[in-house]
Amino acid sequence: MANKSIFKLVVLSSGYGSNLQAIIDQLHNEDGIEISAIISDKASESITRALNHNIPCLYLPRQKKQTREAYDQLLSELLKPFSPDLIVLAGFMRILSPAFIQRFPQQIINIHPSLLPKYKGLNTHQRVIDAKDKIHGTTIHYVDEHLDGGKIIAQKRIDVLPFDTAETLEQAIKSLEHVFYSATIHKLATKMRSNASLTPVNNDN
Ligand code: GRF
């Protein structure tokens, strides 16, 4: 990352986008952070949220017979002009290919609604109920080649109460995420910026 004043996020979001909305409200055009683009693979609420805030937005559905690699190649080409410092997955329901991930080392993060490494994949809230767990939570992690793998950046826990259902847990986790994700992105941006300012710039390039 070059030492520059604006820290650019590109957010990938497939669905309802409540986390995306929280990031827009708390971080967009705050403290030198900008969402330079929002990309969705679905005609979703996320696109509406981008349009409502005049944030550049790309709708990139997967084409019939398009391989994951071909999709990701296109995605990374389209991302380039937005020069993201950090790619933020917020309910992005596609698995990214190793080639894509390697193009952006330590620059892609995700939020997953469980205390990883527990409950990778889908239906985490129901799985917590079924297992009668007393503690649940959410995890922010770097994205690597493995589903919900990658180094953990931060976690938050909640108690599972006797009357909880998958629906109440989902609500509680999302409320937590809406503060936790933005706060963690803000911290990462601060850290990445200060690391960049320590890195000598090679003026020959
Ligand atoms: C969140 O719970 C997040 O942890 C998971 O997908 C959900 C997205 O919800 N990755 P929303 O679209 O942000 O409302």
Side-chain angles (χ1 to χ4, degrees):
M1 186 184 68
N3 181 14
K4 57 187 182 182
S5 52
I6 301 293
F7 188 90
K8 292 184 178 179
L9 308 176
V10 169
V11 183
L12 309 190
S13 180
S14 303
Y16 183 60
S18 65
N19 274 286
L20 165 65
Q21 187 64 53
I23 295 167
I24 294 172
D25 294 342
Q26 293 164 45
L27 294 181
H28 184 48
N29 293 336
E30 297 289 336
D31 281 348
I33 297 174
E34 168 193 281
I35 301 177
S36 54
I38 291 168
I39 302 180
S40 183
D41 59 326
K42 298 268 166 15
S44 63
E45 197 75 21
S46 298
I47 292 183
T48 313
R49 294 180 195 277
L51 296 174
N52 285 343
H53 293 269
N54 293 321
I55 298 172
C57 161
L58 301 176
Y59 168 46
L60 188 62
R62 181 181 164 267
Q63 305 298 317
K64 264 190 199 157
K65 297 192 180 160
Q66 189 179 31
T67 62
R68 182 176 310 286
E69 287 68 28
Y71 181 96
D72 286 1
Q73 174 68 34
L74 184 58
L75 179 61
S76 71
E77 291 301 320
L78 292 170
L79 269 170
K80 260 188 214 157
F82 298 105
S83 46
D85 295 304
L86 196 62
I87 298 170
V88 175
L89 309 189
F92 189 60
M93 299 306 285
R94 287 183 59 83
I95 296 171
L96 295 164
S97 59
F100 182 90
I101 291 162
Q102 282 152 23
R103 258 173 236 138
F104 302 97
Q106 297 282 92
Q107 273 183 291
I108 313 172
I109 63 169
N110 182 40
I111 188 159
H112 179 76
S114 79
L115 291 172
L116 289 173
K118 262 188 143 179
Y119 307 127
K120 297 178 177 184
L122 297 174
N123 302 321
T124 58
H125 311 299
Q126 188 58 53
R127 287 156 73 195
V128 164
I129 296 286
D130 293 345
K132 300 188 171 35
D133 288 355
K134 298 276 183 276
I135 302 281
H136 186 26
T138 188
T139 303
I140 298 168
H141 63 95
Y142 288 107
V143 172
D144 73 2
E145 290 79 6
H146 306 284
L147 175 70
D148 300 322
K151 189 171 164 236
I152 291 175
I153 300 166
Q155 291 185 311
K156 279 263 187 225
R157 292 160 182 262
I158 58 166
D159 291 329
V160 181
L161 303 171
F163 50 80
D164 268 323
T165 61
E167 289 72 31
T168 62
L169 284 182
E170 181 181 358
Q171 263 180 11
I173 289 289
K174 279 202 183 185
S175 304
L176 185 68
E177 290 179 340
H178 294 162
V179 180
F180 179 46
Y181 208 10
S182 299
T184 305
I185 292 166
H186 190 278
K187 273 189 208 159
L188 270 179
T190 306
K191 193 172 153 198
M192 288 170 77
R193 268 183 167 147
S194 71
N195 287 348
S197 67
L198 295 174
T199 309
V201 177
N202 183 352
N203 290 322
D204 298 338
N205 289 327

